[in-house]
């Protein structure tokens, strides 16, 4: 069974019967009243249809003579655009072409991405977007969001209001650009990751792009190349820190709370010193989400739930090694621990004892000298007394020492330490357990802790595998292909966000995230075949994320955090009414219409 077929089979079985029978009027079925005419509508990416404007629309909107004679369908436009995209011979050139299309025509842009989703997501998101961000100042053509720079802090509210006045904004994606996609501090270029995340929210989560806002907090940069680049377009000073930084971020957050009280605020690619503490500070006062912590944790939780389903065990029975205790690694640990508490009924203390976190000083233990652990790592430190024998005069306890002693059932890599899961590590792990769970999640693919084909070979095809980047299937001893699950945040964060927006939840609760992860795990192809992928195929991500959004919104209603008065039974139809699809709407000219 293919991964895709398995996902769709489970999806069809999972949907409630009434969902197939509901008669829902989509927004795209209703004529759109638009106030722009002539050049104004042709230069608006939101409303431009290019050659797809009908004869009647060309007359009404003053476009006769401004366009070639023939009226094209969206399908024909996609065919032409795909041929142009395919003629570009480098991913960055493809990225630039698609960015240009996005600046001209949203519907065509998203329709093209949707039609070729697996091919285009790596171009508009990771890994190619990292190259685009690294070259942001050199490639700069036009702005793509809201830039809030520290020197202009006193006029921040005016700049913010200029962007949102007259608009309904459901989603704000913000970055301070310190930890971009594995390439580190990229200064103001980080706006492009906020924009890319917004694209995925629309493409996969079906959030209306006109209701999203990408933001960069330009607090300076410690990237020496940018500090000395005469073409750098951001504030060319070292990063502000401490109270100055906190006050600047807080001023922004309070503007969101004041002017967009029902929005979701998505924190993206903040540095390890700030990500966890900002999430803790604001998550109880606004609907706040950090994809690097919660999204990575949620998709990994879904993969882990699928894996333990295959092994017939529970999460709380696992012995879990986290190799790379940074933002992502501790986010995963926290999410798995929360699930052990919520699903298995474990205490927080007992669940914490299931984890062994390894970072630069080796295994985190409570006797490490001051300064070797960050504040957010202390709760994960193991008692030093457990490891007296393993030290044997050494300064650190390494991965192989941990694997030999605790016989882990699950190994999670978020270190960007390529090849860290050596043959010795994998074979030692596999010698003590029938179905080792091995998640090498570092991006890009050249930085994975172990190539999944090697892990498959070193475990004689017994490992349950997931990676952070796409890999081709591995060969089982039987000769059959084993699809490698891609633990891609795009499988879950768009649905989590859409569910929070749909329910107008006052906060994103742990229960909401776990509900989304459980729904994703329920759609695993491995449920129908234990030797299939642990997670759905990325091609199915739009359908999967709609299911996640429904689960999240239902949980918000159950938790009492929702700002809507619906019953849980109404959520699916409400979601269908709100989704945005890349289709051309009929336009009617109205001086009081949208602009």
């Amino acid at each position: 069974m293919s991964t895709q077929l398995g996902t769709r089979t489970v999806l069809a079985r999972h949907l409630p019967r009434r969902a197939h029978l509901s008669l829902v009027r989509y927004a795209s079925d209703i004529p759109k009243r638009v106030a722009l005419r002539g050049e104004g509508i042709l230069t608006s990416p939101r409303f431009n249809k290019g050659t797809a404007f009908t004869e009647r629309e060309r007359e009404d909107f003053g476009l006769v003579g401004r366009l070639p004679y023939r009226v094209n369908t969206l399908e024909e436009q996609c065919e032409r655009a795909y041929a142009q995209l395919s003629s570009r011979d480098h991913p960055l050139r493809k990225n630039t072409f698609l960015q240009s299309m996005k600046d001209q025509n949203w519907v065509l842009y998203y329709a093209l991405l949707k039609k070729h989703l697996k091919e285009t997501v790596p171009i508009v998101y990771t890994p190619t977007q990292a190259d685009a961000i690294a070259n942001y100042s050199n490639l700069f053509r036009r702005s793509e969001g809201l830039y809030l720079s520290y020197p202009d802090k006193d006029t921040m509210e005016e700049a913010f209001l200029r962007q949102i006045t007259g608009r309904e904004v459901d989603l704000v994606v913000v970055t301070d650009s310190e930890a971009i996609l594995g390439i580190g501090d990229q200064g103001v270029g980080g706006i492009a990751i906020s924009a890319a995340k917004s694209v995925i929210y629309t493409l996969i989560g079906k959030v209306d792009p006109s209701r999203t806002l990408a933001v960069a907090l330009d607090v300076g940069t410690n990237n020496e190349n940018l500090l000395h680049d005469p073409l750098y377009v951001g504030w060319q000073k070292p990063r502000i820190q401490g109270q100055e930084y906190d006050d600047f971020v807080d001023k922004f957050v309070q503007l969101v709370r004041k002017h967009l009280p029902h929005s979701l605020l998505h924190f993206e690619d903040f540095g390890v010193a700030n990500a966890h503490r900002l999430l803790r500070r604001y998550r109880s006062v606004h609907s706040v989400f950090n994809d690097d912590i919660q999204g990575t944790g949620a998709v990994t939780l879904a993969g882990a739930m699928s894996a333990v389903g295959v092994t017939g065990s529970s999460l709380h029975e696992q012995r879990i090694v986290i190799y790379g205790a940074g933002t992502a690694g501790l986010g995963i640990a926290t999410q798995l621990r929360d699930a052990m508490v919520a699903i298995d009924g474990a205490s927080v203390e007992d669940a914490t004892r299931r984890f062994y976190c390894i970072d630069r000083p080796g295994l985190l233990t409570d006797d490490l000298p001051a300064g070797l652990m960050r504040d957010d790592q202390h709760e994960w430190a193991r008692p030093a007394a457990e490891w007296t024998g393993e030290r044997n005069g050494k300064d650190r306890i390494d991965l192989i020492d941990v694997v030999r002693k605790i016989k882990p059932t699950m190994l999670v890599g978020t270190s960007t330490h390529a090849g860290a899961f050596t043959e010795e590590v994998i074979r030692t792990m596999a010698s003590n357990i029938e179905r080792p769970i091995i998640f090498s999640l570092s991006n890009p693919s050249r930085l994975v802790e172990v190539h999944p084909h090697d892990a498959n070979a070193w475990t004689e095809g017994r490992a349950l595998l997931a990676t952070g980047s796409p890999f081709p299937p591995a060969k089982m001893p039987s000769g059959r292909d084993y699809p490698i699950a891609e633990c891609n945040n795009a499988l879950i964060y768009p649905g989590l966000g859409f569910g929070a927006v749909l329910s107008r939840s006052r906060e994103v609760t742990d229960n909401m995230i776990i509900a989304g992860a459980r729904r994703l795990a329920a759609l695993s192809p491995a449920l129908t075949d234990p030797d299939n992928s642990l997670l759905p195929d990325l091609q199915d991500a739009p359908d999967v994320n709609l299911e996640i959004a429904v689960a999240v919104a239902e949980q918000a209603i159950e938790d009492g955090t929702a700002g809507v008065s619906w019953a849980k039974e109404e959520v699916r139809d409400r979601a269908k009414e709100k989704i945005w699809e890349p289709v051309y709407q009929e336009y009617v000219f109205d001086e009081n219409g949208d602009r």
Side-chain angles (χ1 to χ4, degrees), residues 301-313 410 435 437 439 464-465 524 526 534:
L301 170 59
M305 292 173 73
S306 176
V308 299
V310 170
T311 63
S313 57
M410 185 174 180
R435 300 295 309 257
I437 303 168
F439 289 2
L464 296 165
L465 301 170
S524 166
L534 294 174

Side-chain angles (χ1 to χ4, degrees), residues 310-353:
V310 170
T311 63
S313 57
S314 69
L315 279 175
H316 184 242
E317 294 177 76
Q318 309 309 306
R319 297 179 298 280
I320 303 170
V321 173
I322 304 290
Y323 187 77
T327 301
L330 294 189
I332 290 168
T334 300
Q335 209 69 69
L336 291 173
R337 180 179 66 182
D338 288 348
M340 291 178 189
V341 173
I343 298 171
D344 298 331
S347 67
V348 172
E349 294 76 16
D350 190 34
T352 303
R353 285 196 290 269

